[in-house]
Amino acid sequence: MSVDLLYDWLNESIPFLSGNSLLLLLAIVIPAILLFLVIAVNAIVLVYAERKVSAFMQDRVGPMGQGVGLHAGKWGMLQTVADALKLISKEDIIPRLADRKLFIMAPFVIFVGAFIAVIALPFGETLIVADMNIGIFYILAVSSFGVIGLILAGWSSNNKWSLYGGMRSAAQIISYEIPAGLSLVTVIMLTGTLSMQGIIQYQSGGLFDWIVFSSPFSFIAFIIYFIAAIAETNRTPFDIPEAESELVGGFHTEYSGMRWSFFFLSEYANMLVVNGVAVAAFLGGWQSPIPGYLNSPGWGVFWFISKILVLVFVMMWVRWTFPRLRVDQLMDICWKYLLPIALFNIFGVGIWTLIFG
Amino acid sequence: MSELAFWSVAFVTVASAGMVVFSGQLIYSAIALLFTLLGVAGLYIFLWADFMAGVQVMVYIGGILVLIIFGIMLTHKIVSVKISQSNVQRKLGAVVVGIFLIFLTSSIGDAPWFQMVTTEPSETVRTVGRLLMTKYLLPFEVASILLLGSLIGAAMLSRKEE
C-alpha cells in the first residue's frame, strides 16, 4: 500500500483528525514498521532455507530439532527463531582500540541502505510504499550506502582482517554495480520508464511478454544482472570480503550479538532487494505467467514473492556448488567479460528495438 | 509538515557541512560529508528534481565518497603517520569568508528568483533526456569527451611501468 493511498484511507476512516499532519506521519510510520517486519521475517525464513538447502546439497539433514522439552520444532523450523533470540541476548563486545562511534554506526548505515531500498519494491499492483518516477534508479543509487557501511565496519574494527574485508567488498561492489546498471539500462530502453510499476505494466500479458524472453539480448542482460547481483550481495562464489578461510569473518570479524545480526538482517534484505529488482525488471514482477489467470492483487503478492524465492534458491544453489574466486579472477570477470558483454548488449537491444520495436 | 521537513534537511546539510570542516579526524570529515551530500540530494527532491537527487546519491555517495574513504583507509593505520585534518590561517579565512558572505547575501537579495513549482511535474527523466539530446547536445558531448579524457589519464597514471 503506497503512502498516498494509506493517507487518503486514514483521512476517510478517522474523520476528526482529517487533514492533520499527524495522519501523514502515521501513513509514513505504518509502512516503515511493516517493512521492518517483512525484513525480519525474510531473514528468519531465508536463514532457515539456507541451512536446509546447504544441508540437502551436502547430503545432510540440517537442523532437525529432536528430543523432548525445548527443541527447535518440527524439522528444526524454529531453529532460526532460537538463533535470533540467542543473538539478542548475547553480550555486545566493542574492542577497546576500535573507533567506537564508527563501530556503532556501521551496522546501522548498512541496514538503512537495505531498508530504504525495500521501499521501492512493488509487492503488488498497489502494494508499494513509494512508486517513484525513478524507482529502479533509486534502488541502484541507495545501494551505495551498503558499501559505505561495509568500509566503515572494516575500518573501525581496528583489525587487519576487517580492513581487508572492507576494502575488498568496496572494490567488488563498486565494480559489479557497473554491469548490473548497464544490464538494467537494456530494460529501461525497452520499457521507456524508470518507474518499477511502469516496467511491470510493460510486461503484462503472460510469460512470453516478460522482458527476459522478449529478445535474446535481454536474456543475456538478465544473466549478467543475476551474476552481478550475487556479487553485490557478497555471496559465494563472490564472497571474498568474508572469505572465512582467509579473513576469519572479513568486515564483521569483531562484531557480536545484536550488531552482528544487523549485518545479517541487511544481507538477507539485500538479497530480497536485488532479486526483487530482477523479478520486477525481467520476470514480470507481480504478473501471473498465464495472462488473465490468477491475476488478482492477492495472487500478485504470491507471484512476486514466489519468483523472488525461486531466484533466492538459485543463489543458494550457486553458493553451495561453486568454489570461491580469487580477487584477480573476480575483477577479470567483471571488467573483461561482464562489462564488454553488457555494453554490446545495449547496442544490440537498440538495434532490436529499431527493427522489431 | 513539508516546511518542517525542509528545515530539518537544510539543518542536517549545513550542520554536517560544518562538521566536515571542523572535525579533527579526516575519517569523521568523510562521514560527515555523507550526510551533507544526502542533504543536498534531499534539497533536490524539494525542487522536484528526483532524477538529480538519484544522480547525486549515486555519483557522489556511491562513487566519490567511497573513493575518499578508500583513500583514507589505504593510508591511515597502514602508514604509521597519523593523518589528521588541521585548519590553518583561521583569522584570514574568517575575513575571506565574511566578505564572501556579505557578497552572497547581497546578491541573493538582488537576484530575481523563480517561484518554486508547487505541483509535481509529470515527467522529469524524459524531459531531461530529451533536452540533453536536442538543446544541450554540444555541452553534453563536450562533457563526455572530458570524462573520457580523464578516464584514459587515470588509467595511464595507475598502470605499472613495463
Side-chain angles (χ1 to χ4, degrees):
Chain A
M1 191 176 287
S2 72
V3 171
D4 297 337
L5 281 177
L6 189 65
Y7 181 59
D8 292 342
W9 182 77
L10 280 174
N11 262 332
E12 279 169 27
S13 50
I14 316 175
F16 65 93
L17 270 178
S18 73
N20 200 320
S21 56
L22 192 73
L23 286 185
L24 186 61
L25 205 65
L26 262 183
I28 294 169
V29 169
I30 291 173
I33 293 171
L34 283 179
L35 277 190
F36 187 80
L37 284 176
V38 166
I39 288 174
V41 170
N42 167 63
I44 286 176
V45 171
L46 289 193
V47 170
Y48 176 74
E50 180 114 63
R51 299 182 73 163
K52 276 297 189 188
V53 168
S54 70
F56 291 142
M57 291 204 176
Q58 296 164 349
D59 211 2
R60 295 184 284 120
V61 288
M64 278 309 274
Q66 285 153 340
V68 285
L70 273 176
H71 63 75
K74 191 151 178 69
W75 301 311
M77 287 210 302
L78 295 176
Q79 184 68 49
T80 37
V81 179
D83 277 348
L85 290 176
K86 179 201 76 178
L87 282 172
I88 290 170
S89 56
K90 225 174 163 180
E91 187 189 352
D92 172 40
I93 299 168
I94 298 178
R96 194 157 49 89
L97 289 179
D99 194 316
R100 217 185 143 78
K101 285 180 208 155
L102 297 183
F103 189 84
I104 292 171
M105 193 177 136
F108 294 107
V109 174
I110 295 183
F111 184 73
V112 166
F115 186 82
I116 58 178
V118 181
I119 288 174
L121 279 191
F123 287 94
E125 198 165 358
T126 51
L127 207 63
I128 177 169
V129 178
D131 181 24
M132 281 168 262
N133 282 331
I134 55 160
I136 202 161
F137 184 63
Y138 165 84
I139 291 183
L140 282 179
V142 297
S143 67
S144 47
F145 275 84
V147 189
I148 290 190
L150 288 182
I151 308 177
L152 279 188
W155 189 85
S156 63
S157 301
N158 202 359
N159 177 323
K160 289 188 186 67
W161 291 313
S162 302
L163 186 60
Y164 272 115
M167 278 173 17
R168 282 180 178 189
S169 73
Q172 172 178 331
I173 296 179
I174 289 181
S175 307
Y176 278 87
E177 250 175 27
I178 298 167
L182 288 179
S183 57
L184 288 177
V185 165
T186 58
V187 174
I188 295 160
M189 281 170 74
L190 286 170
T191 57
T193 174
L194 288 173
S195 139
M196 295 296 263
Q197 298 288 28
I199 290 171
I200 293 173
Q201 296 290 357
Y202 174 87
Q203 306 175 68
S204 60
L207 193 65
F208 295 104
D209 281 339
W210 294 358
I211 286 179
V212 64
F213 299 122
S214 69
S215 77
F217 298 106
S218 49
F219 186 75
I220 299 171
F222 173 66
I223 301 293
I224 291 174
Y225 179 78
F226 194 66
I227 294 173
I230 297 176
E232 276 192 61
T233 46
N234 287 333
R235 290 176 64 82
T236 323
F238 303 104
D239 70 335
I240 59 158
E242 288 167 46
E244 292 89 345
S245 50
E246 305 159 32
L247 297 180
V248 186
F251 59 89
H252 57 68
T253 306
E254 297 286 358
Y255 282 86
S256 66
M258 208 49 209
R259 296 187 202 291
W260 183 84
S261 62
F262 261 94
F263 284 120
F264 271 70
L265 267 185
S266 27
E267 188 172 325
Y268 285 98
N270 269 331
M271 278 176 78
L272 186 76
V273 171
V274 292
N275 287 322
V277 170
V279 166
F282 294 100
L283 300 175
W286 36 261
Q287 315 246 23
S288 147
I290 305 146
Y293 183 65
L294 298 181
N295 225 354
S296 65
W299 281 104
V301 179
F302 167 79
W303 288 121
F304 188 70
I305 289 176
S306 50
K307 283 172 189 171
I308 286 180
L309 288 181
V310 169
L311 289 184
V312 166
F313 173 73
V314 176
M315 273 192 171
M316 290 177 178
W317 188 3
V318 167
R319 172 170 181 179
W320 299 104
T321 310
F322 293 113
R324 180 181 304 132
L325 292 167
R326 279 200 322 265
V327 183
D328 59 323
Q329 291 170 332
L330 183 101
M331 287 298 162
D332 274 1
I333 288 181
C334 178
W335 294 100
K336 292 187 184 165
Y337 297 96
L338 292 186
L339 188 61
I341 297 172
L343 282 173
F344 171 74
N345 226 352
I346 290 177
F347 185 67
V349 165
I351 302 280
W352 184 275
T353 35
L354 266 186
I355 297 171
F356 299 102
Chain B
M1 192 75 183
S2 82
E3 206 146 88
L4 184 75
F6 171 77
W7 284 112
S8 46
V9 166
F11 176 77
V12 166
T13 313
V14 174
S16 57
M19 266 187 71
V20 173
V21 181
F22 293 117
S23 155
Q25 254 186 305
L26 210 51
I27 187 91
Y28 287 143
S29 295
I31 299 308
L33 194 59
L34 166 72
F35 293 100
T36 313
L37 298 172
L38 209 61
V40 173
L43 294 180
Y44 279 130
I45 289 173
F46 278 105
L47 297 171
W48 299 113
D50 51 0
F51 185 68
M52 278 305 292
V55 171
Q56 166 87 9
V57 171
M58 190 146 199
V59 172
Y60 280 93
I61 295 180
I64 291 173
L65 187 61
V66 170
L67 272 183
I68 290 175
I69 298 178
F70 212 70
I72 295 170
M73 272 181 16
L74 278 173
T75 47
H76 187 63
K77 282 185 182 171
I78 293 177
V79 184
S80 55
V81 184
K82 191 170 184 301
I83 297 164
S84 59
Q85 182 192 251
S86 54
N87 298 326
V88 288
Q89 294 185 323
R90 275 175 191 263
K91 280 176 196 163
L92 205 61
V95 171
V96 173
V97 167
I99 292 169
F100 193 60
L101 184 72
I102 295 164
F103 180 67
L104 266 186
T105 40
S106 63
S107 57
I108 285 172
D110 290 344
W113 290 101
F114 295 109
Q115 280 298 306
M116 205 177 96
V117 187
T118 44
T119 49
E120 188 178 355
S122 56
E123 281 176 333
T124 50
V125 187
R126 203 178 287 270
T127 324
V128 169
R130 206 153 268 164
L131 281 176
L132 277 182
M133 279 294 134
T134 52
K135 196 176 172 190
Y136 300 106
L137 185 62
L138 187 68
F140 179 69
E141 291 297 330
V142 170
S144 51
I145 288 173
L146 180 71
L147 281 175
L148 185 66
S150 59
L151 202 69
I152 296 171
M156 276 295 289
L157 283 176
S158 62
R159 79 188 264 218
K160 282 192 190 119
E161 294 289 326
E162 281 168 27

